[in-house]
């Protein structure tokens, strides 16, 4: 997952047939599932957000046509490492006691 905004935006255009500059957020997950990149254009410039989980994996949908639309709340769960389909923690931290 070495791609930056230009390469991911091109993928949005060519594979998803969407406008990467239209203000929508586009999420990409690395092969191992522990890395997530989100790109969007805020009207002034290109934005790239990257997050790598220390434990666990980002739970990813199985799109039928290559595109899955999720709500803002579901995105927040996804970014937190919580199963956005059934909001529960996907791992539990060990107790410190």
């Amino acid at each position: 997952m070495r791609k930056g905004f230009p390469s991911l935006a091109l993928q949005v255009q060519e594979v998803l047939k969407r406008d990467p500059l239209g203000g929508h957020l586009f999420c990409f997950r690395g092969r191992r599932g522990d890395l997530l990149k989100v790109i969007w254009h805020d009207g002034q410039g290109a934005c790239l957000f990257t997050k790598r989980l220390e434990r666990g994996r980002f739970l990813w949908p199985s799109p039928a046509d290559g595109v899955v639309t999720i709500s803002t709340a579901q995105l927040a769960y996804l970014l937190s490492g919580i199963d956005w389909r059934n909001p529960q923690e996907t791992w539990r931290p060990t107790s410190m006691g």
Side-chain angles (χ1 to χ4, degrees):
M1 183 77 133
R2 299 179 185 175
K3 296 179 180 181
F5 187 93
S7 299
L8 294 173
L10 186 61
Q11 194 169 354
V12 168
Q13 262 183 313
E14 293 182 351
V15 176
L16 303 178
K17 307 293 185 211
R18 309 287 178 162
D19 178 11
L21 306 178
H24 291 94
L25 281 75
F26 298 94
C27 300
F28 299 87
R29 187 182 75 158
R31 284 188 186 145
R32 291 186 307 200
D34 64 341
L35 178 67
L36 184 80
K37 289 187 177 182
V38 182
I39 66 165
W40 73 99
H41 193 276
D42 68 358
Q44 295 178 331
C47 303
L48 173 66
F49 172 81
T50 304
K51 182 170 184 176
R52 183 180 307 274
L53 291 176
E54 293 177 4
R55 293 188 196 125
R57 295 182 177 185
F58 291 104
L59 297 174
W60 208 246
S62 301
D65 61 354
V67 177
V68 173
T69 301
I70 61 175
S71 70
T72 305
Q74 289 170 323
L75 178 61
Y77 286 135
L78 176 67
L79 293 174
S80 298
I82 297 171
D83 185 348
W84 57 273
R85 301 162 300 178
N86 182 18
Q88 298 176 14
E89 291 186 28
T90 57
W91 64 275
R92 303 249 187 260
T94 57
S95 62
M96 303 290 290

